[in-house]
Amino acid sequence: MIELAASILSADFAHLAEQIQRATEGGATIIHVDIMDGHFVPNLTIGPPVVKSLRKTTNLPLDCHLMIENADEYIPGFVEAGADWISVHQEADVHLNRTLNLIRSHGVSPGVVINPGTPVEMLSEVLDLVDYVLVMSVNPGFGGQKFIPGAIPKVRRLAEYRANRGLNYRIEIDGGIASDTVGDVVRAGAELLVAGSAVFGSGDPKENAHKLLKAAHESAFLKV
Ligand code: DX5
Ligand code: ZN
């Protein structure tokens, strides 16, 4: 099932509740929250206190994308704050198996993320531990970057592995997703579509979300 995960990174942080409401009215069914530590990625964003406030404004799943080092230390705080899904980067975690089990032990959905420079093969030992795999289609750290097409074959390969190994993870994609790129990623097999600037960048998040989902569904229909 195709779903739109609205990434609040590009939203107006002074009016987050309103902006989330508009994106939800436009069809977003997941709220994607980018957590950056200034070490793993060259930017700083938010931590558990903001997630806790977001929790009060929406019933949609809060998809917390951790772009941080030492994730194990912070996972309990995000769980307590109300995260529903937590994903960690393969590149930032030397004990990935432990971290993914830790996330699940808290009753939260675990996901694993790979950067554009990381091959999907790096995930072969953890695919059975996750509910979703997030393929980055930009180098993480900032919204509004250009889509990197190398993500498309990675999505396709993840869909093949899933079928071959009888697994159930969902495939998420993040970075540069807009009307002009969504078709290719959906046809490759991505179903959780993260979009920041395409939803919150300019204009009305409700209309933007609706337009993007419409383009996604049309591409899926044309898939055959
Ligand atoms: C980038 C973040 C993304 C970001 C995507 O590091 O992980 O979630 O919000 O922004 P857009 O959709 O503008 O590329
Ligand atoms: Zn993200």
Side-chain angles (χ1 to χ4, degrees):
M1 186 177 76
I2 291 171
E3 292 191 68
L4 175 60
S7 170
I8 60 165
L9 187 61
S10 296
D12 176 356
F13 273 53
H15 300 98
L16 272 184
E18 248 171 79
Q19 298 242 296
I20 287 174
Q21 178 62 30
R22 291 302 283 170
T24 307
E25 286 166 11
T29 45
I30 300 159
I31 302 303
H32 182 87
V33 186
D34 288 303
I35 318 287
M36 306 185 186
D37 68 352
H39 294 278
F40 177 62
V41 288
N43 199 2
L44 287 164
T45 55
I46 60 168
V50 177
V51 173
K52 193 172 173 190
S53 298
L54 288 173
R55 184 68 293 164
K56 296 180 204 148
T57 73
T58 179
N59 292 322
L60 294 183
L62 296 176
D63 167 21
C64 293
H65 173 192
L66 304 192
M67 286 159 273
I68 65 174
E69 291 172 3
N70 304 317
D72 291 17
E73 270 180 51
Y74 299 98
I75 284 164
F78 284 106
V79 172
E80 187 138 328
D84 300 282
W85 304 2
I86 295 180
S87 60
V88 293
H89 272 259
Q90 184 273 337
E91 305 84 0
D93 198 332
V94 282
H95 301 294
L96 201 48
N97 177 297
R98 177 189 288 155
T99 304
L100 295 169
N101 283 314
L102 174 72
I103 297 170
R104 196 176 293 283
S105 75
H106 283 282
V108 167
S109 271
V112 68
V113 194
I114 44 171
N115 280 334
T118 305
V120 293
E121 286 71 20
M122 295 304 285
L123 301 179
S124 65
E125 301 306 318
V126 296
L127 289 176
D128 56 339
L129 300 178
V130 296
D131 288 348
Y132 62 108
V133 177
L134 170 49
V135 176
M136 290 307 300
S137 38
V138 296
N139 287 296
F142 305 94
Q145 302 182 79
K146 197 170 174 295
F147 179 80
I148 298 173
I152 295 169
K154 288 163 81 171
V155 168
R156 222 177 280 129
R157 230 169 302 143
L158 280 165
E160 281 163 21
Y161 284 147
R162 181 175 56 193
N164 293 343
R165 292 175 55 178
L167 296 171
N168 288 312
Y169 54 81
R170 302 178 77 190
I171 304 172
E172 184 172 37
I173 189 148
D174 182 5
I177 300 300
S179 301
D180 58 338
T181 51
V182 77
D184 285 341
V185 301
V186 165
R187 281 188 291 272
E191 35 177 356
L192 304 171
L193 310 169
V194 178
S197 48
V199 173
F200 297 112
S202 63
D204 178 5
K206 176 178 173 177
E207 274 172 38
N208 295 342
H210 181 77
K211 211 176 111 196
L212 190 55
L213 269 170
K214 189 164 174 273
H217 284 124
E218 282 168 5
S219 330
F221 182 69
L222 292 173
K223 194 171 172 181
V224 218

